[in-house]
Amino acid sequence: MRRLIGPMLAGWLAMTAMPLYAQGASPAATSPATAQKVYTNLTTRWGQAVTPANAWQSYPRPQMKRTAWKNLNGLWNYAVTPAAAVQPQRMDATILVPFPVESKLSGATVRVMPDDRIWYRRGFTVPADWRGQNVMLNFGAVDFEAQVFVNGAPVGGHRGGSDAFGFDITPFLRDGENELVVQVADPTSAGSQPRGKQILDPNGIWYTAASGIWQTVWLEPVPKLHIADVRATPDIDRGVVDVEVALSGWAEDRDAVRLTAKSGGRTIATTIVRANRRTTLAIPTPHLWSPDDPYLYDLTAELVGIRDPYAGLPERDRKAYDARFTRGEQDRYAAAVVEGPVRDRVETYFGMRKISVGPGRVAGQPVLLLNNKPLFHNGTLDQGWWPDGLLTPPSEEAMKSDLLFLKQAGFNMVRKHIKVEPARYYHDADRLGMLVWQDMPSGGGEDQFVTGSSQSQAVMSADMMAQHQTELTRMVGQLRPFPSIVLWVVNNEGWGQYDSATLARYVKGMDPTRLVNADSGWLDVAGGVSDVFDIHTYEDVPNTPTRQSARAIVIGEYGGIGLPAEGHIWKPGKRNWGYQTATGEQDFLTRYRRKMDEVIRQAREQGLSASVYTQTTDVEDEINGLLTYDRAVPKVPAEALAKIAAPLWQAKAR
C-alpha cells in the first residue's frame, strides 16, 4: 500500500513511532480491503505541506469555542476487517486522522466495501489540570456508523456521515494512558443513507467514496452541567438579537447564564437569564452583515450561580414555579447577583442580517432580499472535494482559498452541493462575506432517484425517512449559528426526493429566519412552501425560469464549460467530462460571457434573483471547474470573470 501514498507520507510512516498498541502486523493478517485505485499523483500544494503534527489543528467548533481542549488528530493505528470479525488485537498500519481511509493523505488509500469494518485505535492521556471536570470526546464527522470504546467499554454509537457528535467519557477513564477505539461501517452507495455524491464505482458526476473519520477528533473538559447550545437569531427590523441558551441537562433556579455582546471589543449589551431560557439583547444602531461588509458581533455565554432570586418570598417554590417562562422571571434574573466563579464559558458570534423575499424591479415578480434590499446571488456549485483528501480539505487554508478565489472572480454566493463542510468553512464564509446555499446530502437507492420527466416522488421506508430526517435536523441545528448561510436546499434533482413539501415545512419550522429551496431542479411539487422556483439549464444560452407570483425565480445550476488543463487531470489519457468543451481560454471566456449576458438580461428584464454556475473546481472525471482539481490553475483569470459579472450590480443604479 505504501507505494500508493506518495513519498512524503511514506516518509512519515517510516520516521514516526507507532502510537500506543501498534503491533506492526502485516496488513494481510486482518484486512480484506483492497488498494484504492489511484489514477494520478495529483495533489494540492497544501496537501504537500501536511504532516501528522499540523493536520487540522484549529479549534473545530468556532461557534461554541472553549479555551481548554486537546486535539486528537494525527497518526492512529487502523485495520480493516470483515463485518463478522471481532476487534483485532493487531492492527494493519498507521493512518493520518482526520483524512478518510480511501484518501492519499490518510496514508492508507484502501477501498472499503459495505461488508468491511474499519477499526481505529490510539492512546491518550487527560491533562492533569482537567481533574474534577467531565471529559467530552467529540467527533466533527464520521462516515457513516460509528461505535466508540474507551478502555474496552462501549461509550456510545452514532449513525450519520455529516454531523458532529460527542460522548461524556468521564466514567470510563483511568489514570495515565487510556485507549480509544472506534469501529466504523459505511455502506456508501450500497445503502440508502444520505451520502451525497459518494459511490463505490466512481465515474462521471459520482465521486470516490470517503469512509471513516473525516473531521477533527478532540477532547474537552466541561462541568457535568454545561452549555450545550447557544442560538443567536438577529432581527434587524427590531434592532435586537434573540438568544437561546440550552444546557446539557436540567437546571436549578440558581443556575443562570450571563450573556455579553460586544462590538469591536466594546460591550454593547449584557444580561443574566435563567438557564435553559431565551432572552433578547438590544443592538443599538446595528451594523448590518453583507457580502460587501461582513461585520460580526462577539457574544459570550457564561454559566454562573446566582443568589436565589425568590429568597424570602412567601410560598417561595410556588412563586418560582408560576414565574417560569414569564416576563417576571426574566426581570428577576436580569437583576440577579452572581455568586461564585464562572462554571462554563463559551465564545460565539452573530451577524445582524436578514434574508427574505419581496418586491423587486420587475413588477409582480418577487426577488431575494438581503437586509430588506434586492441583492442578486451570483454563485457557483461547490462540491468541496479534493484530489488528496477527498471529503476532507488538506487544511483550513486550502478550504479558504476557494472562497477567496470566488470573491476575486465576482461571486458573492456558493451553493454547497450535497455536502456538509467542517464548521470552520462556514466560519470563514462569515468573515469573508460569502453567502451560502446549503444542500442536504442526498440519499435513497438508485431506483428512488426521480428523473426529469417524473410526475411523482419516490417512496421510502419508515426507517429510511427517519434517518434522512434525523440528519436533516442535525444539519440545520448545527449550522444555524452561521450568518453566511441564507438558504437551505432540501432536495437536488430528485435524488431520493420524497414528500419535499413536508420536509420544507419542517425546515421552516426549525429555522424561520432563512429561506428554503424545496426542490432544486426537476420535479417542483412544493410551490406553496418553497421560497424559490429553481431550474437547472445547461443549454448554451440558459433558459428562463417560469414567472412566479409568490416565489423568487433562480437558476440553481447552469454553465458546465469543460476545459482540460494538461498536468492537472484526475485521469490522464481517459475521457473526461463536461456539459460543453472549450478549445482554450478565449473560447471558454466567449462561452462564459454568452451565458452570463443571458443571466444579466434575465435579472434585469425577468426578475431573476440568483444563478449558480457549475462549478468551482474540476472534480475527478469532471473538468468543468473554474479551477483545476488541484487548485493550481484557474481556467481563466478571476478578474476577467468579475468584469463580466459586474453589470449584475451596476444595474441597481439604473
Side-chain angles (χ1 to χ4, degrees):
M1 289 186 287
R2 291 194 180 187
R3 69 179 182 277
L4 297 172
I5 63 178
M8 175 171 281
L9 197 51
W12 299 337
L13 301 183
M15 294 185 293
T16 306
M18 300 279 271
L20 183 67
Y21 301 109
Q23 302 296 321
S26 165
T30 55
S31 176
T34 58
Q36 175 70 29
K37 187 173 184 181
V38 177
Y39 297 99
T40 178
N41 289 322
L42 197 65
T43 188
T44 64
R45 62 182 177 89
W46 303 278
Q48 293 169 9
V50 170
T51 71
N54 68 17
W56 279 92
Q57 295 299 300
S58 298
Y59 187 81
R61 193 178 53 209
Q63 277 283 13
M64 279 276 292
K65 186 177 181 181
R66 290 186 173 91
T67 302
W69 68 295
K70 183 174 182 177
N71 196 319
L72 295 185
N73 292 341
L75 288 176
W76 294 39
N77 297 301
Y78 88 100
V80 181
T81 71
V86 299
Q87 179 179 328
Q89 295 302 305
R90 306 174 68 196
M91 306 300 273
D92 290 355
T94 54
I95 185 170
L96 184 56
V97 170
F99 297 102
V101 294
E102 294 91 344
S103 71
K104 287 186 284 186
L105 281 176
S106 74
T109 322
V110 297
R111 188 167 186 250
V112 175
M113 301 303 291
D115 291 332
D116 293 339
R117 296 295 179 266
I118 313 165
W119 295 87
Y120 296 84
R121 185 162 59 187
R122 67 157 291 158
F124 69 93
T125 57
V126 176
D129 59 357
W130 293 8
R131 189 175 298 277
Q133 301 186 76
N134 286 33
V135 177
M136 293 293 299
L137 170 64
N138 299 306
F139 296 83
V142 179
D143 196 358
F144 161 70
E145 183 172 3
Q147 302 294 327
V148 181
F149 306 83
V150 172
N151 295 324
V155 301
H158 179 82
R159 300 179 81 242
S162 299
D163 55 281
F165 61 96
F167 305 108
D168 187 338
I169 61 173
T170 310
F172 309 97
L173 296 173
R174 60 194 180 201
D175 291 337
E177 194 83 8
N178 292 269
E179 179 193 67
L180 170 59
V181 172
V182 182
Q183 183 211 57
V184 181
D186 184 14
T188 310
S189 51
S192 58
Q193 80 287 353
R195 60 190 178 276
K197 286 198 168 187
Q198 299 182 65
I199 195 169
L200 291 170
D201 183 20
N203 62 88
I205 66 169
W206 306 101
Y207 312 145
T208 302
S211 304
I213 298 171
W214 69 278
Q215 290 189 33
T216 293
V217 186
W218 79 101
L219 299 173
E220 194 167 46
V222 295
K224 183 175 182 180
L225 182 68
H226 56 271
I227 297 169
D229 278 302
V230 179
R231 294 185 285 270
T233 304
D235 187 331
I236 69 169
D237 297 326
R238 294 162 55 214
V240 302
V241 59
D242 296 315
V243 184
E244 299 175 331
V245 182
L247 301 190
S248 58
W250 292 7
E252 303 292 338
D253 287 337
R254 295 183 64 184
D255 296 322
V257 174
R258 181 168 56 201
L259 295 167
T260 305
K262 293 186 176 182
S263 173
R266 179 176 59 88
T267 297
I268 59 170
T270 185
T271 192
I272 297 173
V273 60
R274 190 191 190 279
N276 289 329
R277 294 292 191 269
R278 63 172 57 88
T279 191
T280 298
L281 297 176
I283 307 299
T285 318
H287 189 154
L288 302 184
W289 184 97
S290 72
D292 292 332
D293 185 13
Y295 189 85
L296 297 170
Y297 291 85
D298 295 317
L299 179 66
T300 302
E302 297 171 303
L303 178 59
V304 296
I306 62 169
R307 189 177 301 165
D308 184 356
Y310 301 102
L313 293 179
E315 298 186 300
R316 183 254 175 232
D317 291 347
R318 181 80 254 173
K319 292 286 177 59
Y321 183 86
D322 289 343
R324 289 183 178 181
F325 301 101
T326 67
R327 179 60 185 267
E329 181 185 63
Q330 282 192 26
D331 292 343
R332 282 190 178 274
Y333 278 83
V337 176
V338 173
E339 294 185 330
V342 173
R343 288 183 270 162
D344 190 21
R345 185 179 191 273
V346 298
E347 297 174 0
T348 183
Y349 62 89
F350 61 92
M352 294 297 291
R353 66 101 183 91
K354 175 185 177 181
I355 182 71
S356 58
V357 174
R361 64 183 297 159
V362 176
Q365 176 56 65
V367 297
L368 299 178
L369 306 178
L370 182 68
N371 301 331
N372 296 322
K373 297 178 181 178
L375 177 68
F376 191 90
H377 294 199
N378 182 35
T380 61
L381 199 68
D382 198 282
Q383 314 281 359
W385 286 72
W386 299 81
D388 38 20
L390 300 179
L391 277 183
T392 309
S395 66
E396 182 176 2
E397 182 188 6
M399 188 170 65
K400 186 177 178 180
S401 72
D402 284 355
L403 296 175
L404 290 170
F405 171 81
L406 292 175
K407 290 283 287 188
Q408 293 168 357
F411 295 96
N412 62 1
M413 177 265 282
V414 294
R415 178 182 167 200
K416 183 48 63 177
H417 193 37
I418 55 176
K419 180 201 176 187
V420 177
E421 290 287 1
R424 297 201 69 88
Y425 177 89
Y426 306 98
H427 173 77
D428 290 332
D430 290 344
R431 277 159 170 71
L432 291 173
M434 181 64 78
L435 304 171
V436 177
W437 291 14
Q438 178 60 53
D439 285 17
M440 172 62 191
S442 57
E446 172 58 35
D447 70 326
Q448 291 159 328
F449 282 18
V450 175
T451 70
S453 57
S454 297
Q455 298 176 330
S456 63
Q457 300 179 87
V459 174
M460 303 283 197
S461 71
D463 287 346
M464 291 166 65
M465 290 189 292
Q467 182 63 37
H468 187 90
Q469 287 156 211
T470 295
E471 295 196 46
L472 176 62
T473 299
R474 291 172 182 159
M475 181 188 79
V476 174
Q478 292 180 9
L479 298 185
R480 271 186 64 178
F482 296 101
S484 55
I485 298 176
V486 294
L487 180 143
W488 304 110
V489 181
V490 174
N491 191 79
N492 176 73
E493 287 191 353
W495 300 349
Q497 178 179 341
Y498 73 94
D499 206 358
S500 61
T502 297
L503 293 181
R505 290 188 190 96
Y506 180 61
V507 172
K508 276 180 172 286
M510 281 189 67
D511 183 12
T513 68
R514 288 183 174 87
L515 303 180
V516 174
N517 182 349
D519 305 302
S520 182
W522 298 6
L523 186 61
D524 175 48
V525 294
V529 185
S530 186
D531 292 302
V532 301
F533 174 63
D534 180 332
I535 70 167
H536 294 181
T537 169
Y538 285 103
E539 289 74 16
D540 189 41
V541 176
N543 293 332
T544 306
T546 307
R547 187 184 181 91
Q548 304 289 310
S549 62
R551 294 189 285 176
I553 57 173
V554 304
I555 296 176
E557 293 183 28
Y558 80 107
I561 304 170
L563 180 60
E566 187 176 351
H568 303 276
I569 302 295
W570 178 250
K571 293 181 183 177
K574 300 200 174 187
R575 182 182 183 275
N576 293 287
W577 187 86
Y579 289 94
Q580 303 174 14
T581 302
T583 57
E585 180 180 314
Q586 288 306 310
D587 186 35
F588 186 104
L589 275 173
T590 298
R591 292 169 182 267
Y592 184 87
R593 183 177 289 106
R594 183 158 56 241
K595 295 175 186 297
M596 183 55 72
D597 284 349
E598 175 60 14
V599 166
I600 294 167
R601 185 199 69 78
Q602 290 185 26
R604 184 173 57 248
E605 299 177 8
Q606 305 296 326
L608 185 73
S609 279
S611 61
V612 181
Y613 180 83
T614 300
Q615 57 190 352
T616 304
T617 73
D618 294 348
V619 185
E620 300 199 351
D621 286 357
E622 295 187 52
I623 55 167
N624 47 24
L626 298 173
L627 293 166
T628 55
Y629 195 16
D630 57 6
R631 279 70 168 177
V633 179
K635 304 294 181 69
V636 294
E639 296 75 15
L641 299 174
K643 185 176 180 180
I644 293 171
L648 282 170
W649 297 284
Q650 294 169 354
K652 291 192 299 183
R654 295 178 184 175

